[in-house]
Amino acid sequence: MISAIAKPAASIPVFRARDLTCVHGANEGDDLTFAEELTLDDTYWFSDTARQVRLGIESSDSGAITVGEDTGVGTAGASLHLDSCLTFMSPDGTTTEVLILVEVDMFGDAAAVYALPLAPLTAKTDYTLVGIDIEDAARKFAEVACVSFTRGTRITLASGAQRVIEKLSVGDRVLTRDNGVQEIRWIGHSTVRAVGEFAPIVIKAGALNNEADLVVSPDHRLFIYQREDAIGAGRRELLVKARHLVNGDTVIQQDGGFVEYYQLLFDGHEIIYAEGIAAETLLVDTRTRAALPPELDEVLARALPGHTDRPHLQYEVQKALLDQPDAAEILRSASRRLGTR
């Protein structure tokens, strides 16, 4: 079962199982389903009418994951299970991973199956199922949830100096917005294909008063303090996902090639300064914990305070408020620079 995530509720873009249909093999004619009923070497087609839908996710204090009230698909309150990570191969030898989530009804039966591709799928292409991974699915799902900076990002240290993230070390002292100077506890690093859910967001220099281009993972949240409530959020302090600011001009999604992602872990979920503007660090919850090395998961992560009860977690702005072509410019004009509150 998927582990709990921190509130406020999250959502992920998924496809319905019917969008991937077996066109050759043991399950010919059937929609994509969970691992127990799949057969290797079956061939699937991705529908040319497929459209992503938003699956809302909420967690209870017990750690159970359910479909959230604010969801675009599924039954609110129904249980969700992370079933597997499937690997498909196209005719040119390219492999694509797809996470499978299963919605379960009150009787424990599968009510719906959802697919979360980790790279784009092309319609009317033969995708052969070459891998079914149950053990590693949680880590893959965690990697999607982890907020990450990219190589070359300059992080502000306790001294006020800036250092590129790849030169940081565990124990380095970093300036945080709310809790003064904090030491880095762990640095994660991975290189992934910059496609789909892993294609980074480029916030061009000056777009949010940042000193240079800031390149982050799509769900990375930026902290913005407005001099006045410019977007009607009802407050001046905002957490804004980078993907919600994409405008095709000053904020773009950079698809293609590979990207080096870095995660910074502190004792608490912090707001630090990257390229001179405020951005969040890795939030440890039971969803992202699977991305941590075993020794951290068993010893450090379970003892980390302040990763789900930070006041700033209540400041996240939903996409609807930012659904305007000049949202980034509005926030740039309303925001303050490094060092001001």
Side-chain angles (χ1 to χ4, degrees), residues 1-14 53-60 63-82 99-103 114-116 141-142 144-145 197 219 221 241 285-288 316 318:
M1 185 176 72
I2 307 172
S3 298
I5 60 175
K7 294 181 179 179
S11 64
I12 53 175
V14 298
V53 290
R54 183 175 53 82
L55 179 63
I57 299 176
E58 290 185 357
S59 61
S60 67
I65 278 289
T66 58
V67 178
E69 292 291 335
D70 181 22
T71 187
V73 67
T75 302
S79 296
L80 280 172
H81 293 264
L82 177 60
L99 293 172
I100 301 299
L101 299 100
V102 180
E103 179 182 334
Y114 306 107
L116 174 59
F141 196 51
V144 175
E197 287 301 296
D219 283 332
R221 294 178 294 190
K241 285 185 178 179
D285 53 41
T286 50
R287 176 179 167 186
T288 58
E316 184 172 344
Q318 298 305 309

Side-chain angles (χ1 to χ4, degrees), residues 250-291:
T250 61
V251 184
I252 62 173
Q253 186 156 31
Q254 188 170 278
D255 190 276
F258 291 84
V259 60
E260 284 188 76
Y261 277 135
Y262 290 82
Q263 302 87 36
L264 296 181
L265 177 67
F266 294 84
D267 283 347
H269 180 249
E270 300 292 352
I271 303 297
I272 63 171
Y273 296 97
E275 301 300 347
I277 62 173
E280 69 173 328
T281 61
L282 178 62
L283 172 64
V284 173
D285 53 41
T286 50
R287 176 179 167 186
T288 58
R289 187 171 292 158

Side-chain angles (χ1 to χ4, degrees), residues 111-122:
V113 177
Y114 306 107
L116 174 59
L118 300 185
L121 296 173
T122 303

